Amino acid sequence: MGVNMYNAEGYYDPTSYEALTNIIKEAQAVRTFRPIVYICSPLSGAVEENQEKARKYCRFAVDTGYIPLAPHIYLTQFLNDDSPAERDLALFIDIVFLSKCAELWVFGETVSKGMGIEIERAKRKGQLIRYFTEDCKEVKN
């Protein structure tokens, strides 16, 4: 639905037209901008269960207006987490991805070694870090 250049009485009203058009543009911009957030949660141990949790955390991010990036879902598709060399490569790639994100979101109470590296890197870079429970409830520090 467009904005009419004429008011309710039929008179040409460019000031109202411009104001309403700008409001609509701003509302559309807000809806389309989604910051990228890095999803930080455990992988090792129960790998399949932890990846399923990570998918849930990603869905939560999408539902709240963000673009999630969960390298531990993506990278395990072609890198072997059981190989020390490939795990080191994955951690390197993780840090590169993290540098492209607006925020780091940490899920759950367990902080794995890899998560600790990601959290420390985000702290050093001054990135916003938010903590959530496994049920996606934010924990205020």
Side-chain angles (χ1 to χ4, degrees), residues 9-44:
E9 297 169 349
Y11 295 103
Y12 179 68
D13 192 353
T15 303
S16 295
Y17 172 79
E18 184 178 353
L20 291 172
T21 301
N22 288 338
I23 289 170
I24 290 170
K25 284 180 186 176
E26 287 177 24
Q28 289 172 339
V30 169
R31 282 195 309 249
T32 58
F33 177 73
R34 290 176 172 253
I36 300 173
V37 296
Y38 188 100
I39 304 299
C40 183
S41 63
L43 172 65
S44 58

Side-chain angles (χ1 to χ4, degrees), residues 51-61 134-136:
Q51 286 180 322
E52 185 60 37
K53 287 179 183 179
R55 284 189 283 277
K56 179 180 83 169
Y57 305 148
C58 288
R59 183 66 215 200
F60 167 72
E134 286 188 7
D135 295 327
C136 301

